[in-house]
Amino acid sequence: MPKTTVNITGVSLCQKKGIIRIFRSTIKELGDPRYIRFLFNPEKRTLAVQSVSRKEAECFRVPKYNPKDWDFKICSIQMLRIIWRVCEWNENDMYRIAGTHYPEYNLVEFNLNQARIVQFGEIE
């Protein structure tokens, strides 16, 4: 299965704030889609961001890119609670994960077992 690892970290997760931040590198790897959706596999402990061509249930619209202030935060407290429970993470910590791009599936997959804690003062 062809894949490419995204060199720049792809997502950060913060249960305390209820926010999933999708990094610009992830959206670029996916070809700047209009919409994305999450795919979560609790058995494998993976989270994927998949591009979708049209609005469907459970999809999120990707904001238009603006180099001055582009930011893509998604509030999904329910999903974050499930991830924290499955991964047994400390609820006060924020995590960052690098992803692997699978172009044939239009997704970037994040192995939650490889998440690292974002240290205080580090950019989210």
Side-chain angles (χ1 to χ4, degrees):
M1 181 175 353
K3 62 181 181 178
T4 57
T5 301
V6 178
N7 293 329
I8 300 170
T9 305
V11 295
S12 67
L13 308 169
C14 181
Q15 182 186 13
K16 199 171 187 178
K17 294 180 183 177
I19 291 174
I20 301 167
R21 176 174 276 147
I22 313 288
F23 283 62
R24 177 74 183 133
S25 59
T26 300
I27 297 304
K28 279 177 63 176
E29 281 294 317
L30 293 172
D32 286 310
R34 287 185 70 173
Y35 301 98
I36 57 104
R37 69 174 158 213
F38 292 107
L39 304 170
F40 177 57
N41 184 328
E43 289 80 31
K44 291 184 176 181
R45 286 185 167 180
T46 59
L47 177 68
V49 175
Q50 184 176 44
S51 69
V52 253
S53 57
R54 57 185 161 69
K55 178 77 171 141
E56 298 173 12
E58 307 298 322
C59 287
F60 298 91
R61 185 174 181 82
V62 178
K64 266 200 186 306
Y65 179 64
N66 177 343
K68 292 180 182 173
D69 64 0
W70 192 86
D71 198 15
F72 190 12
K73 293 179 188 175
I74 294 172
C75 183
S76 184
I77 294 169
Q78 296 283 79
M79 188 168 77
L80 289 170
R81 284 183 181 150
I82 293 167
I83 291 170
W84 254 252
R85 189 171 54 246
V86 166
C87 295
E88 299 175 346
W89 288 346
N90 180 335
E91 66 183 51
N92 293 316
D93 288 332
M94 181 169 43
Y95 295 85
R96 184 179 287 178
I97 309 117
T100 302
H101 182 219
Y102 293 92
E104 68 277 19
Y105 299 113
N106 296 319
L107 64 80
V108 175
E109 182 180 60
F110 303 94
N111 181 340
L112 300 175
N113 294 316
Q114 296 176 354
R116 69 176 187 83
I117 296 173
V118 176
Q119 299 300 318
F120 179 75
E122 225 178 317
I123 296 173
E124 288 181 34

